């Protein structure tokens, strides 16, 4: 893959080029100090050296709450949602892998039309990241699953076009790339455990650490909300007295007691049931279905957990590296 060098001093001009392809969104920080993906109207808003946002980019594809249809007089109508193009800039490889996983689910055999429309409007520009102690992804500098990718090097970035859209970006920004010798990227230092959760040798379904975790888990659901591949949803209808109504879809959460309720019974009534179900489902349940793990190692679940539950303890224990 051919790479071009973009000096750091050209970054603001590069952002202007990206605006040719849609509304520019990227990592920024709210007034409350929360890292988030949001519209970038001025380069000063961009926090390109961020570690992770609290809510992953799945919010662009699966809104927290959306109206699926409205009905009245025996007819229904789907909302005519305008889908302006968006350039999502500075996505880390783990979040790109998260979107690729959602694509498998929502663009597969039963394509979800709302997801497909929202996905079609996105241009994805990735960037290499410097993993911190929460991360355990396998490739912090992978240029997969995006249209274009920037690899951070000394005094700038190496730009790679991945798709035809990436080539268009390269052409639009050609005057910004330097003819100077291309610096070599610095290999990402990975401070995490390096334990891949998709490792088929991991056997942890009966590990006593589940009970230890459940003793402190408060079932807040934050780890699921912040997970880039968690997509459980609920569909509800709200009828009106005049005979019309709406059907909505909203995020659900397998840590909530109501998630396991079916016809008056609850299949996962305890915190232990729900915690174990969530992570076993993620590491062992989805892999045979989709051919890939649904954990991308972003570390958000550890970063947001109010009681500090760290699944890497489980991986290590399952490998006999520490006793529970
Ligand atoms: S399970 Fe945790 S580390 Fe894995 S993708 Fe979800 S939030 Fe990230
Ligand atoms: S974030 Fe922590 S306390 Fe909250 S549900 Fe997840 S594991 Fe439990």
């Amino acid at each position: 893959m051919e790479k071009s060098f973009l000096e750091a001093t050209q970054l603001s001009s590069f952002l202007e080029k990206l605006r040719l392809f849609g509304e520019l969104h990227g990592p920024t920080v709210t007034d409350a100090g929360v890292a988030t993906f949001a519209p970038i109207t001025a380069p000063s808003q961009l926090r390109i050296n961020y570690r992770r946002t609290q809510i992953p980019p799945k919010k662009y594809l699966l809104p927290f709450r959306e109206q699926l249809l409205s009905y009245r007089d025996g007819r229904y109508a789907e909302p005519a949602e305008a889908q302006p193009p968006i350039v999502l800039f500075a996505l880390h490889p783990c979040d790109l892998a998260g979107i690729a996983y959602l694509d498998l689910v929502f663009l597969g055999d039963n394509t979800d039309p709302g997801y497909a429309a929202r996905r079609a409007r996105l241009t994805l520009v990735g960037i290499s990241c410097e993993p911190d102690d929460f991360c355990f992804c396998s490739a912090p500098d992978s240029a997969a699953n995006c249209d274009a990718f920037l690899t951070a090097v000394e005094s700038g970035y190496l730009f790679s076009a991945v798709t035809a859209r990436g080539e268009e970006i390269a052409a639009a920004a050609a005057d910004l790339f330097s003819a100077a010798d291309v610096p070599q990227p610095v290999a990402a230092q990975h401070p995490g455990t390096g334990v891949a959760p998709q490792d088929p040798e991991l056997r942890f379904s009966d590990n006593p650490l589940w009970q230890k975790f459940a003793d402190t888990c408060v079932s807040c659901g934050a780890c699921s909300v912040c997970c880039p591949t968690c997509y459980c949803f609920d569909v509800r209808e709200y009828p009106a007295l005049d005979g019309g109504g709406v059907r909505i879809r909203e995020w659900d959460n397998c840590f909530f007691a109501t998630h396991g309720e079916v016809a008056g019974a609850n299949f996962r009534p305890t915190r232990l049931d729900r915690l174990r179900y969530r992570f076993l489902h993620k590491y062992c349940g989805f892999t045979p279905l989709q051919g890939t793990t649904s954990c991308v190692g972003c570390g958000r679940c550890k970063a947001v957990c109010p009681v500090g539950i760290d699944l890497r303890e489980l991986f290590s224990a399952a490998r006999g590296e520490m006793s529970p």
Side-chain angles (χ1 to χ4, degrees):
M1 193 183 303
E2 192 176 336
K3 296 184 177 178
S4 309
F5 180 50
L6 180 75
E7 288 186 35
T9 52
Q10 297 283 14
L11 186 61
S12 295
S13 302
F14 182 70
L15 297 183
E16 291 309 308
K17 301 291 186 182
L18 290 180
R19 292 186 200 283
L20 299 173
F21 299 88
E23 186 176 286
L24 184 64
H25 289 230
T28 186
V29 176
T30 67
D31 292 343
V34 177
T36 184
F37 286 104
I40 300 294
T41 54
S44 58
Q45 295 171 307
L46 189 68
R47 295 291 185 273
I48 200 164
N49 294 321
Y50 75 115
R51 284 295 178 272
R52 62 182 60 74
T53 56
Q54 187 177 74
I55 301 295
K58 71 178 178 183
K59 68 181 182 179
Y60 288 93
L61 296 160
L62 300 169
F64 172 66
R65 182 175 290 118
E66 64 175 320
Q67 183 175 313
L68 296 179
L69 56 85
S70 59
Y71 52 87
R72 177 175 299 283
D73 302 329
R75 300 178 186 200
Y76 74 89
E78 295 174 359
E81 197 180 336
Q83 302 286 355
I86 288 179
V87 177
L88 260 181
F89 178 63
L91 294 161
H92 288 158
C94 58
D95 278 341
L96 292 169
I99 292 174
Y101 187 85
L102 295 178
D103 286 352
L104 283 175
V105 176
F106 289 92
L107 301 179
D109 293 341
N110 297 302
T111 297
D112 183 273
Y115 182 97
R118 288 185 282 267
R119 180 70 179 84
R121 71 174 171 164
L122 291 185
T123 294
L124 305 179
V125 181
I127 193 165
S128 56
C129 87
E130 286 184 33
D132 65 10
D133 186 45
F134 295 132
C135 301
F136 54 97
C137 83
S138 54
D141 50 5
S142 167
N145 308 311
C146 60
D147 294 294
F149 194 81
L150 296 176
T151 304
V153 293
E154 191 179 341
S155 71
Y157 306 91
L158 298 181
F159 174 91
S160 318
V162 180
T163 64
R165 171 54 56 91
E167 297 287 357
E168 291 174 31
I169 294 172
D175 59 319
L176 302 178
F177 297 135
S178 167
D181 284 347
V182 174
Q184 290 304 305
V186 180
Q189 301 297 310
H190 210 307
T193 62
V195 176
Q198 66 270 37
D199 187 336
E201 295 305 315
L202 280 180
R203 296 284 179 267
F204 51 44
S205 63
D206 297 321
N207 197 291
L209 271 173
W210 292 118
Q211 186 60 59
K212 177 189 157 190
F213 292 154
D215 286 345
T216 54
C217 172
V218 293
S219 267
C220 65
C223 53
S224 173
V225 168
C226 296
C227 179
T229 63
C230 276
Y231 58 83
C232 279
F233 57 80
D234 196 8
V235 175
R236 297 169 188 247
E237 288 196 4
Y238 292 93
L241 292 178
D242 65 2
V246 295
R247 180 179 297 170
I248 60 105
R249 175 164 72 179
E250 61 189 5
W251 291 4
D252 202 350
N253 198 310
C254 60
F255 272 98
F256 298 164
T258 51
H259 191 271
E261 283 180 353
V262 177
N266 195 325
F267 291 94
R268 291 180 290 278
T270 70
R271 279 179 296 165
L272 172 62
D273 294 332
R274 296 193 287 276
L275 183 128
R276 188 170 169 279
Y277 167 82
R278 192 243 171 179
F279 288 106
L280 282 182
H281 200 194
K282 188 157 273 298
Y283 295 125
C284 307
F286 282 109
T287 307
L289 284 176
Q290 302 292 0
T292 183
T293 175
S294 72
C295 175
V296 296
C298 70
R300 283 186 178 90
C301 54
K302 163 74 161 74
V304 302
C305 181
V307 296
I309 289 174
D310 185 349
L311 265 288
R312 292 171 303 179
E313 253 189 87
L314 193 64
F315 306 150
S316 299
R319 292 188 149 192
E321 291 170 9
M322 59 184 287
S323 54

